[in-house]
Every structure is written in C-alpha cells, then in structure tokens.
Amino acid sequence: MTKEELMREAIRLSVENVAHGGGPFGAVIARKGEIVATGVNRVTHDCDPTAHAEICAIRAAAAALGTFHLQGCEIYTSCEPCPMCLGAIYWAHIDKVYYGNTKTDAQRIGFDDSFIYDELELPAVERRLKSEGLLRDEALRAFEEWTDKADKVEY
C-alpha cells in the first residue's frame, strides 16, 4: 500500500470510530507497505485514559510481531500524536510518523494537550501536578539488581 492509502485507512478508522461512539482518532502501523496493526481511540469505551489510537495500535503491533521494538515500522495516525503517544512511539522505536490533522486542529474541537507541553517546560516544583520523591534509597535496590543481572533483556 502507498503512504496515502495507509493514511486513508487511519482516517477511515477515525471516522468509523466516531460513528460507533468513540473519539475521532485512528492509527495504522505498517511495515514495508503492509498493515501490521490498527487502533482507534477507546478511552471512553474501555474507561482507559491511555487507550489512544496510537497506543492501541502499538500494543496490537507488538503482539502481532512478538516484539517490543517496532523498528522498520511506520505509524499513520489521523491526528498529530499527543505527548503520551509521541513518547510511546519513541519507546517503540517506530521509524516514522505520518499524521493528518494537526494538534491545533484537535485543540479547536476540544482535544487540547498544549497544557502538557507547557507543564513539561516548567521546573517540577512549578507544575500543576505536584510530585515528591519518596524512599529513593529503598527504590534503588531494583536498579542495582537490574544493573547486576547478567541475563536481562534490555530495551
């Protein structure tokens, strides 16, 4: 399939998802022009704030390919990824992102993630979401054991 055909599939999924009561987002993960997996926004359906189309597609692609590294794959998403999805795309090692709508288009219909970008620019003590370190000395044990583990699977 061409890039345009793969993007049209992501767009078709987003439109179909709206018709079924979901959010207006769809995603396709492809490798060498072949669809590996798809996803749609299932946030309200699954009561899962992380069930964005891109996350659902990444989970399905990883399961289909039996790997957590999706090198050699591209993601086609009906809208520019939010910060969470962009982070997941980086962690999955996807080669390239193609998107239809922009984050500004999403903002215009009530899906505004600009506050997250703004928050990330602030020092932690100035963010709206308060955070505090706790029991670091105890938590370091897992890191030490990981460092010493000879048979670990790095990712």
Side-chain angles (χ1 to χ4, degrees), residues 90-108:
Y90 273 104
W91 279 114
H93 301 279
I94 292 174
D95 292 354
K96 189 165 184 177
V97 178
Y98 295 93
Y99 60 89
N101 294 311
T102 67
K103 61 185 178 184
T104 304
D105 297 328
Q107 181 181 21
R108 279 196 285 269

Side-chain angles (χ1 to χ4, degrees), residues 2 22 26-28 44 53 55-57 74 83 85-87 107 110 117-118 124 129:
T2 67
V28 170
T44 57
I55 300 293
C56 292
E74 300 169 332
C85 292
L86 190 58
Q107 181 181 21
Y117 289 107
D118 294 342
L129 177 63

Side-chain angles (χ1 to χ4, degrees), residues 115-135:
F115 76 95
I116 298 172
Y117 289 107
D118 294 342
E119 285 280 305
L120 292 175
E121 301 245 344
L122 296 172
V125 297
E126 293 179 27
R127 294 180 187 158
R128 188 173 70 190
L129 177 63
K130 300 304 175 203
S131 63
E132 175 182 342
L134 187 64
L135 299 177

